[in-house]
Amino acid sequence: MSLNDPNSASATHASSPNDRSEQIRLAKTPAEVTAAINPSTKRRLWITLSFPLALLFAVPFWWYVTSIERLPLPESRISALENATLPSIRPKILFTADIDAFPPPPPGRAQFEHKVILQTLAEEVSRGVDGIYVQRRPKKERGWDIVYDDDKKNPTPLRMHIRRWEHANTSWPLEPYVQASESGLMTSGLEEGTLVIPIHPSQIGDRFLKQHYKIAIINSLLGLYPPDPPEIPLRALKYSPNITLSFVLLNEDASEGSYVRSWDIESAIKEHFLPHIEPLAPIFNFTIESQLLYQAPLTFEPTYQSTDRADNERTIEATVEMAKNSEEDVQAIAKEIADEQVQKAWLIDEEQMKVFVNSERWSLDSGSTNNPVLRFLLYVPAAKHRPMRLASPNSAQSFLLPQFGGVALLNPPSSTPSSQTYRLPLSALTPSFHLFTQHLYSLLALPPIPDKIHPSPPPTPLHAPSGLIQPITRWQVHQVLLARMKENSEEARKTLVGIVRLVEKIKEMKVGEGVRGKVIGAVERLEQLSSNQSALEMFVLTRDAVNLANQAFFDHSMMGLLYFPDEHKFAVYTPLFAPIAVPIILGLIKELLAERKRRAAKRQPSKVPTDVLTEQVEVTGPVAKKIEVEAEKVPVADTVLLETSGGSVESESTAVEGRSLRSRSKR
Amino acid sequence: MLLSSLRIIILAPIYAAAVSSSSFHESLTLHPLPDGKLSVLFEFTTYFTSESSSSSSIAQSHHSLTPPSLLLPLEQNNVSELTVSFVAGRWDQSRSSESGPLHHESGGGGGEVRGWLREDEEMRKTSSERWNSVTHALGGLFCAGLGPSDEGENVRTFGEIYPPVIGDDTNLTHFLLSHPHHHLCTENLTPFLSLLPSKGLSGLSSLLAQPGIIFSWGFKTEGIEVIMPSSSQPQGRWKGWWEGVVDLVPERGTASREFSIETLSKKHVPRVFPEAESSVIRLIKPKVDSDRMEAEPAGRVEEKWVDGVKREVVEWDMLDETTQLSGKDIKVRWNDEGDFKYPRTFAKAPITISRTVVDSLASDGTFQIKITNNGAVSRDAVYSEIWPWWAKGWMSEIKVHIEGRKDDPTLLRDVEYHPSTPPKVSTTTLHFSLTLPQRSTIVLTIPFTKLTLKYTEHRPDAERGVELSSGVLTLLDLEQNQGSDDEARRSERKRIYTNRLLLDVPTPDFSMPYNVIIMSSTVMAVFFGLMQGGLTRRWGWVEVPKEDGTESGNGLTKDTMPVGINEKEALSDAI
């Protein structure tokens, strides 16, 4: 550090160091020299202030760089949604009838128009249903209207028809059914999914025909279109657009022989599952996988004991009934009873059912997707564990595991030799898959077809009636849509409210454009819901809303990857900021004090000190006074260049020396 | 109630009639090695066909012998072929007299995934995206991180080294991902067993399902190889293997080297897995002492070419009703041999290869690859290397010579060099086309420099060093036909691997950032203090009284010393 340094920053910046040294040389008194080489007070203050000012100007940049982006969320819209109720929809039910389903008017009476007859009937039905709902506690409301002409542009899926049919039951009451899909030459000509009230031609003349119609229609509609959509029970899966169904046949131990080595799974799925899941395509996207396990040991040993006595008694009663009917077999049946009574089985009690599925050891699904999986397990016990039964009072052969799937036991006949292997044809799988279908309804919260609705009859009596569960109807799909729509919209609202609360609570959480867009998308979709949309349109909106809300909730960008606690930041910044802050603050304090002193001196002009040094150098306290005094005492003395900072005096000594010598010689 | 009707339904019984098109084969091969060890190889092969019969809109996939958890991800990502191999330990070429383990597909060291992906216009994802998802899926399946941590880790120039089994490589893309740091451990065995239809509970797999025993073996390799069915080849195949090397003789002391299934696995020959189409235990008689070797019960003896040598192979068929092996034991002993005496010399493997780093410095080194051809004919081969981006080879300095002779440029016929693109994560791949003259060792030296790794690119155990993938020597002149005059060429071992290499990389002081922060803060603070001081320092004249009235000649007396203003106190004291 040379003397030129302070000089260059001094007042007359236009002048070169040479000029200044000239000035100094020309200066006669120490005060003049001091004034010549030092900047003015104002300039000095500016220099001192420039550092904090620079830091101050850097603050916006620092703020911009370190701040967390938190875009505003539409909080008021979300809270409005939170309290809003789901708009109710009133679908239209198209009501038609065969032209000759009503008796011709007696001669002389006016012939009413077909539509008018339907209208009066429908009005009575609506009134009847309303009357029933009014009596319910809490009160319910009818969720549909009956129309007589279809809207060509968007036809309603729900239809109702009175069919005059020669194969209908001739007795009362009427037996309404929902038309199943038909194929072949002989079809009813009715659209699949129509609620049909069949009437035999002989019944049309009945006096109470209208009452019969009314009762049949009211009963069917009460069952098919309940006032509230079905609840989603806890055992059912939460809504997810993609669902995997995994069918697994488990042999307890194939290495001991007598095991199932193949099964006709494709036909079983085609016959028992596809009719029920294909109509659900707008709601769920299913994938199916199946596998066969040859080794699936149990983790526990079932107990070998006789089956439930109550069960036996029932069988005895049943056989007694049978014996009554067929006299000649009494002997054989009596023997069978005796056998039944001593029959023992490997029983699985309720506790064991809970641990039955060993999902760690049995690979029950491929795990190739993140979809929720429903597993349907068909368990074939090893020969040493046959017959295996569930120790349940109603001798069920299957049990349901909530949110997981269903298990059915399959005991191969005991008569076959042990070395034998089996191939299960469709007929052998039917009972189990019948149960699996029921499990599917239960696990997906699909409403079963109401008891009042009869199974769809075959097109003609020539066909054998199907023993299968009737495929899911439009009426049921409609209820599923309503139930899932309700579930989704509640879920979406809950998630949105959760996001708002979370963002409010955690101040460091980032809310970027992506998250905001997703939240707004979800809010918009929920706001778009209105009662003049179809159930499917509304369902799609809520499905997308819940999807977007979940995406926003689980967005990665919301959690900062690097999170430093405040202590950490202080620990890193302090070594930098503390040493910088000290000279800045001290410098400012000094300048301020000097300024105050100058002002005080100006106010009392009588006391203006003659010595420039004491005025300019910020010397405080008794030391300053002493120097002042000494200066007065000794008017002319050797002068020494003073440096305000204490550092590196030694190194400067030679330079200072030259100056001071020169200045002295000048004098 | 419904199920009781089952009694009426006739369950159609079938007697060993092949209804499904899948079949399962298993084998256990025992191969005594000359140094008193035993190589044990389990192989499980399943043949299957693709089934896409369903006309429904709902995707269906049905499996019986095949594991859906393995095949579904491959199917969804349109994989044609895939091989995963894990290797732990090191194959000793000099003492085993073999160039590599019994199973030819097992890789060099650590973990490796390689495969062919089918190009498909309909696929929405690119092949590398699909490769990522399939490696991640398999990584999840095998409880091992198999996926690439960066796109650049995928090697795509090894297609000719690992040609597709189906033959035609049109519309196929090859990917290879090497994880040399990976170690085969128990977590990888359980998922392997669960892929098998017998689940480690019956058949030969039940011998394998004893991690306590098999993980005490020395060299271990596990792997799968899947060939997916395609439109031209409706039958697919997936094969799983597990190989280990057992010490028959304890390390200390002496003992006989006779062994049996029970001494190896603490189990008798297990009951048969009933769906297995074949279930075989094989014993490859050693090259030396084979006439003294005796197995009980006696099996069927065949002569087979194994890795270029005609060997006697004893076979026991577990499915054979007449022998009823299950529950019994198979014993192997050497007649008139008491305690095993360690041989002084070993027969040489047909080809051996080793890779070391010589002239090793912190920043540089030289790979020295020695390939010895012990055969009687000269061989053609390709030697391939995969390096991470930070290993930079000096291509102009590569030298090839026969040990004990001068450089011979004719040995190196061709070099294929795919440089990495530092500092992005990428790989350098090298393929050297070499001629291996008979009965000589050729030495390939490649000087290299280690570039500086980024702070974040060091592994958690950075001081240990970084593993380099094994080098691969691919033999180009193998012959399958029986009429071949050269025995060494009559082998199915296409590739011979070097050991993997642990390279120490210069590591930074990982606490450095904090030191740097503090140091730079200090420097900043001092600099700032000086600057501020310099800018605001004030200069002035102070008059110092003369104490004795004399003025010193040079003016540099104590009184005239320049003083700082904060030395004023001293000054005033002096006054």
Side-chain angles (χ1 to χ4, degrees):
Chain A
M1 188 180 294
S2 76
L3 271 175
N4 283 343
D5 281 341
N7 289 347
S8 64
S10 63
T12 50
H13 57 265
S15 56
S16 68
N18 286 338
D19 293 345
R20 190 147 327 114
S21 53
E22 200 64 26
Q23 264 182 16
I24 295 167
R25 218 175 289 128
L26 290 173
K28 289 290 180 242
T29 63
E32 280 171 8
V33 174
T34 311
I37 60 170
N38 282 322
S40 72
T41 329
K42 211 173 175 186
R43 180 169 291 270
R44 177 185 301 278
L45 190 65
W46 272 114
I47 292 169
T48 320
L49 271 176
S50 70
F51 293 104
L53 280 179
L55 289 182
L56 207 65
F57 284 128
V59 164
F61 179 71
W62 169 80
W63 182 260
Y64 174 75
V65 173
T66 57
S67 67
I68 299 160
E69 187 187 19
R70 282 164 71 90
L71 296 175
L73 292 175
E75 286 168 31
S76 57
R77 286 163 80 185
I78 292 172
S79 57
L81 278 175
E82 191 184 358
N83 303 320
T85 49
L86 191 65
S88 58
I89 49 170
R90 277 174 92 86
K92 296 181 169 53
I93 300 173
L94 180 67
F95 184 28
T96 53
D98 283 346
I99 218 76
D100 45 5
F102 301 101
R109 289 282 187 87
Q111 164 84 47
F112 283 103
E113 230 182 293
H114 184 65
K115 191 172 163 185
V116 176
I117 302 172
L118 286 182
Q119 243 163 10
T120 35
L121 183 58
E123 270 158 25
E124 272 190 49
V125 166
S126 302
R127 258 203 305 283
V129 171
D130 284 343
I132 291 168
Y133 282 162
V134 162
Q135 284 165 15
R136 292 249 181 107
R137 291 290 172 271
K139 265 188 197 173
K140 298 291 176 195
E141 212 176 300
R142 176 162 56 89
W144 39 264
D145 289 311
I146 295 178
V147 292
Y148 315 96
D149 293 306
D150 201 1
D151 186 354
K152 286 280 182 295
K153 270 185 198 159
N154 49 10
T156 171
L158 307 178
R159 286 155 190 272
M160 183 162 73
H161 183 80
I162 299 178
R163 180 187 186 195
R164 182 187 159 115
W165 194 33
E166 56 272 27
H167 300 302
N169 199 349
T170 51
S171 64
W172 304 106
L174 297 168
E175 293 180 349
Y177 65 90
V178 177
Q179 183 63 50
S181 71
E182 290 171 315
S183 56
L185 292 172
M186 309 267 284
T187 57
S188 60
L190 290 166
E191 201 175 318
E192 178 198 345
T194 310
L195 169 65
V196 180
I197 292 104
I199 182 137
H200 196 268
S202 67
Q203 289 172 308
I204 285 174
D206 194 277
R207 265 200 309 159
F208 301 107
L209 177 68
K210 203 170 172 186
Q211 267 67 35
H212 284 298
Y213 278 152
K214 186 180 150 190
I215 291 165
I217 295 173
I218 287 177
N219 279 340
S220 320
L221 287 181
L222 282 179
L224 285 175
Y225 205 114
D228 296 315
E231 290 291 316
I232 311 289
L234 276 178
R235 64 167 183 275
L237 279 189
K238 230 180 87 182
Y239 179 73
S240 157
N242 299 311
I243 289 179
T244 301
L245 305 179
S246 176
F247 296 88
V248 189
L249 189 144
L250 304 105
N251 287 295
E252 186 182 350
D253 191 353
S255 64
E256 302 202 336
S258 183
Y259 65 97
V260 175
R261 62 175 306 194
S262 79
W263 57 333
D264 194 358
I265 178 70
E266 277 176 70
S267 326
I269 287 172
K270 194 175 167 204
E271 186 154 340
H272 293 275
F273 269 80
L274 293 188
H276 297 284
I277 60 178
E278 274 180 341
L280 291 173
I283 309 171
F284 297 109
N285 182 16
F286 290 99
T287 48
I288 292 177
E289 55 190 54
S290 84
Q291 56 175 325
L292 217 154
L293 297 184
Y294 298 92
Q295 305 272 358
L298 293 174
T299 46
F300 57 89
E301 184 67 21
T303 45
Y304 189 62
Q305 57 190 56
S306 58
T307 44
D308 200 2
R309 208 188 332 137
D311 200 29
N312 276 352
E313 275 167 17
R314 217 181 310 136
T315 24
I316 293 166
E317 276 167 30
T319 33
V320 167
E321 283 294 313
M322 276 168 65
K324 275 180 194 161
N325 296 341
S326 50
E327 288 288 327
E328 62 265 48
D329 291 341
V330 170
Q331 292 273 319
I333 286 163
K335 194 166 170 285
E336 213 170 87
I337 294 170
D339 281 350
E340 288 270 330
Q341 263 174 336
V342 295
Q343 194 193 35
K344 287 180 135 190
W346 294 90
L347 287 188
I348 290 172
D349 61 34
E350 217 160 300
E351 283 305 306
Q352 289 168 332
M353 279 184 221
K354 288 178 190 160
V355 296
F356 187 87
V357 175
N358 182 0
S359 36
E360 276 172 37
R361 294 293 300 276
W362 305 349
S363 48
L364 295 176
D365 57 272
S366 71
S368 59
T369 56
N370 292 328
N371 303 344
V373 184
L374 290 180
R375 303 155 189 91
F376 299 96
L377 316 180
L378 185 57
Y379 194 81
V380 180
K384 61 174 183 183
H385 281 156
R386 286 177 201 160
M388 186 182 276
R389 298 207 187 286
L390 300 180
S392 54
N394 52 3
S395 79
Q397 283 312 300
S398 74
F399 57 95
L400 183 116
L401 295 163
Q403 308 227 349
F404 182 88
V407 180
L409 298 179
L410 180 70
N411 288 299
S414 50
S415 54
T416 48
S418 69
S419 60
Q420 200 168 332
T421 57
Y422 305 97
R423 185 174 58 83
L424 297 184
L426 179 60
S427 56
L429 291 173
T430 298
S432 311
F433 271 74
H434 197 86
L435 296 169
F436 285 157
T437 315
Q438 289 167 3
H439 290 165
L440 179 81
Y441 269 70
S442 186
L443 290 165
L444 288 180
L446 309 176
I449 202 147
D451 300 333
K452 294 270 171 56
I453 306 294
H454 292 255
S456 179
T460 62
L462 297 173
H463 293 72
S466 156
L468 305 171
I469 302 174
Q470 188 176 348
I472 196 160
T473 63
R474 285 180 185 181
W475 298 82
Q476 288 160 288
V477 174
H478 188 80
Q479 292 303 314
V480 176
L481 276 174
L482 294 183
R484 293 298 182 175
M485 177 173 75
K486 190 161 161 251
E487 183 201 3
N488 280 345
S489 76
E490 277 166 13
E491 177 71 27
R493 281 170 211 190
K494 230 188 281 173
T495 314
L496 288 175
V497 171
I499 292 173
V500 169
R501 204 182 304 142
L502 199 68
V503 168
E504 215 165 88
K505 204 170 172 188
I506 303 176
K507 295 292 177 201
E508 299 214 336
M509 188 168 263
K510 184 185 167 189
V511 183
E513 196 53 58
V515 172
R516 185 164 175 250
K518 282 168 191 160
V519 168
I520 288 176
V523 169
E524 275 172 355
R525 278 172 179 77
L526 287 179
E527 284 170 347
Q528 275 169 23
L529 291 176
S530 74
S531 50
N532 51 21
Q533 287 159 321
S534 77
L536 184 62
E537 280 168 342
M538 281 175 78
F539 166 76
V540 170
L541 283 175
T542 58
R543 181 193 66 195
D544 295 348
V546 77
N547 188 21
L548 283 171
N550 279 334
Q551 275 179 22
F553 193 84
F554 295 108
D555 199 287
H556 300 295
S557 71
M558 286 178 89
M559 291 310 285
L561 284 177
L562 291 173
Y563 169 73
F564 298 110
D566 286 341
E567 295 84 349
H568 197 130
K569 291 177 194 160
F570 285 130
V572 171
Y573 286 142
T574 314
L576 178 65
F577 284 135
I580 289 182
V582 169
I584 291 181
I585 293 169
L586 284 184
L588 273 177
I589 291 172
K590 276 181 185 175
E591 286 300 323
L592 287 177
L593 284 178
E595 182 68 26
R596 218 169 69 183
K597 210 169 170 185
R598 261 198 304 280
R599 285 204 184 143
K602 266 183 196 164
R603 250 180 274 131
Q604 293 162 304
S606 59
K607 270 193 176 180
V608 172
T610 48
D611 197 333
V612 188
L613 178 75
T614 46
E615 187 205 319
Q616 286 192 346
V617 177
E618 59 287 333
V619 183
T620 51
V623 183
K625 276 183 186 146
K626 249 184 209 169
I627 292 179
E628 216 172 311
V629 172
E630 292 301 323
E632 274 167 8
K633 253 192 219 164
V634 191
V636 184
D638 280 349
T639 50
V640 165
L641 202 54
L642 270 187
E643 196 183 276
T644 48
S645 112
S648 63
V649 176
E650 212 72 59
S651 64
E652 290 154 20
S653 56
T654 49
V656 174
E657 181 198 335
R659 277 295 153 93
S660 56
L661 282 177
R662 199 187 301 146
S663 61
R664 206 172 32 236
S665 64
K666 223 29 202 181
R667 225 163 7 93
Chain B
M1 284 277 96
L2 275 161
L3 276 188
S4 62
S5 59
L6 253 188
R7 287 155 164 258
I8 306 156
I9 295 163
I10 301 152
L11 287 156
I14 45 159
Y15 297 92
V19 173
S20 64
S21 47
S22 307
S23 63
F24 175 72
H25 305 263
E26 56 180 9
S27 74
L28 165 63
T29 312
L30 307 167
H31 180 206
L33 299 172
D35 58 345
K37 294 186 181 182
L38 177 75
S39 177
V40 181
L41 169 67
F42 291 91
E43 281 173 296
F44 306 94
T45 313
T46 310
Y47 294 94
F48 60 96
T49 49
S50 69
E51 45 217 304
S52 51
S53 53
S54 157
S55 56
S56 157
S57 59
I58 291 163
Q60 295 188 31
S61 164
H62 302 291
H63 297 264
S64 56
L65 286 166
T66 48
S69 48
L70 174 64
L71 299 186
L72 277 179
L74 301 192
E75 205 172 86
Q76 282 157 9
N77 292 301
N78 215 358
V79 174
S80 171
E81 286 172 29
L82 192 102
T83 307
V84 181
S85 111
F86 299 99
V87 176
R90 187 173 161 183
W91 183 264
D92 196 333
Q93 289 173 333
S94 59
R95 291 178 185 188
S96 63
S97 302
E98 302 288 337
S99 301
L102 213 49
H103 195 271
H104 300 327
E105 289 301 319
S106 44
E112 189 179 80
V113 203
R114 54 176 193 257
W116 289 92
L117 260 67
R118 237 176 257 133
E119 291 301 322
D120 199 341
E121 305 275 308
E122 290 167 32
M123 283 281 168
R124 281 164 296 153
K125 293 185 196 162
T126 64
S127 57
S128 58
E129 277 171 344
R130 286 184 283 130
W131 175 249
N132 276 5
S133 71
V134 78
T135 48
H136 284 301
L138 286 179
L141 187 63
F142 279 101
C143 306
L146 287 179
S149 57
D150 190 286
E151 179 70 23
E153 286 182 8
N154 290 325
V155 177
R156 299 175 73 157
T157 61
F158 269 58
E160 285 174 28
I161 304 296
Y162 300 101
V165 176
I166 57 164
D168 185 17
D169 68 351
T170 47
N171 279 334
L172 294 180
T173 319
H174 189 256
F175 284 89
L176 183 142
L177 196 51
S178 180
H179 299 282
H181 54 270
H182 197 92
H183 202 80
L184 175 63
C185 51
T186 328
E187 295 99 272
N188 310 130
L189 177 70
T190 319
F192 177 78
L193 288 171
S194 76
L195 294 178
L196 303 175
S198 48
K199 308 278 173 215
L201 291 163
S202 64
L204 292 172
S205 70
S206 68
L207 296 178
L208 188 58
Q210 305 181 92
I213 292 171
I214 61 164
F215 277 97
S216 67
W217 296 352
F219 172 89
K220 293 174 282 284
T221 162
E222 176 193 287
I224 57 160
E225 183 194 34
V226 191
I227 295 155
M228 294 296 282
S230 63
S231 50
S232 57
Q233 179 73 37
Q235 193 178 53
R237 181 186 83 188
W238 96 264
K239 181 177 184 179
W241 74 83
W242 210 99
E243 184 171 352
V245 174
V246 196
D247 281 317
L248 293 177
V249 186
E251 216 169 285
R252 286 160 188 280
T254 52
S256 158
R257 56 169 164 161
E258 61 180 53
F259 64 92
S260 69
I261 296 289
E262 202 192 344
T263 58
L264 288 178
S265 62
K266 314 279 178 283
K267 270 186 182 177
H268 289 290
V269 175
R271 55 208 172 125
V272 179
F273 174 62
E275 283 294 299
E277 210 128 291
S278 74
S279 185
V280 186
I281 300 179
R282 277 192 205 104
L283 173 72
I284 301 175
K285 287 200 170 183
K287 290 173 191 168
V288 288
D289 293 346
S290 72
D291 44 340
R292 281 200 291 144
M293 188 186 217
E294 203 167 82
E296 187 196 319
R300 197 157 43 91
V301 182
E302 270 184 7
E303 287 212 324
K304 270 189 184 170
W305 283 92
V306 179
D307 203 5
V309 182
K310 201 177 227 177
R311 308 285 282 272
E312 273 190 9
V313 178
V314 190
E315 262 191 19
W316 293 270
D317 188 357
M318 282 178 59
L319 298 180
D320 194 348
E321 299 279 325
T322 55
T323 51
Q324 290 284 346
L325 272 175
S326 135
K328 292 178 191 161
D329 197 7
I330 295 175
K331 287 185 183 136
V332 179
R333 64 168 183 274
W334 281 259
N335 283 328
D336 312 324
E337 186 184 80
D339 289 350
F340 173 68
K341 287 186 195 66
Y342 200 78
R344 288 174 188 279
T345 53
F346 294 99
K348 283 173 182 158
I351 289 176
T352 60
I353 179 164
S354 76
R355 180 178 62 173
T356 45
V357 172
V358 293
D359 308 335
S360 179
L361 298 173
S363 61
D364 302 270
T366 302
F367 291 116
Q368 189 182 63
I369 298 119
K370 288 189 178 181
I371 307 169
T372 310
N373 178 7
N374 295 313
V377 284
S378 139
R379 307 285 297 266
D380 284 346
V382 174
Y383 177 74
S384 314
E385 283 262 4
I386 305 171
W387 297 336
W389 66 265
W390 47 266
K392 178 180 171 238
W394 296 98
M395 298 309 291
S396 57
E397 304 287 312
I398 289 175
K399 284 189 182 119
V400 188
H401 65 97
I402 293 176
E403 210 169 39
R405 281 184 236 171
K406 274 197 294 180
D407 285 4
D408 186 353
T410 57
L411 295 172
L412 182 60
R413 295 194 309 271
D414 193 16
V415 180
E416 199 181 317
Y417 174 46
H418 302 271
S420 58
T421 51
K424 273 199 299 182
V425 176
S426 50
T427 52
T428 304
T429 54
L430 283 161
H431 301 283
F432 300 95
S433 297
L434 296 168
T435 309
L436 311 177
Q438 65 273 25
R439 293 204 180 83
S440 52
T441 301
I442 94 165
V443 183
L444 177 65
T445 51
I446 315 167
F448 68 98
T449 297
K450 289 173 248 180
L451 304 180
T452 311
L453 266 77
K454 275 182 230 155
Y455 180 73
T456 49
E457 278 169 353
H458 285 279
R459 297 181 53 75
D461 53 347
E463 308 291 341
R464 183 178 169 267
V466 181
E467 309 271 7
L468 286 197
S469 313
S470 302
V472 193
L473 183 77
T474 311
L475 300 169
L476 301 174
D477 51 4
L478 294 182
E479 286 176 16
Q480 301 305 324
N481 57 333
Q482 298 296 310
S484 168
D485 50 340
D486 178 37
E487 292 189 345
R489 287 187 188 168
R490 201 183 296 174
S491 165
E492 291 192 341
R493 189 188 297 283
K494 284 191 201 118
R495 289 173 284 273
I496 299 166
Y497 293 88
T498 69
N499 51 322
R500 55 188 175 160
L501 200 60
L502 186 63
L503 211 60
D504 53 336
V505 287
T507 50
D509 173 6
F510 286 99
S511 64
M512 206 58 191
Y514 306 99
N515 303 349
V516 167
I517 288 171
I518 290 167
M519 186 65 204
S520 53
S521 296
T522 312
V523 169
M524 279 297 290
V526 168
F527 173 72
F528 180 81
L530 290 179
M531 286 307 290
Q532 204 220 14
L535 287 176
T536 58
R537 187 172 296 129
R538 188 202 317 249
W539 304 86
W541 297 94
V542 91
E543 286 157 50
V544 181
K546 264 182 258 174
E547 265 173 29
D548 51 358
T550 56
E551 201 177 325
S552 63
N554 59 6
L556 244 178
T557 60
K558 189 188 170 197
D559 304 330
T560 55
M561 281 275 287
V563 283
I565 209 149
N566 43 0
E567 282 176 50
K568 254 179 267 162
E569 217 158 327
L571 182 72
S572 63
D573 285 351
I575 295 161

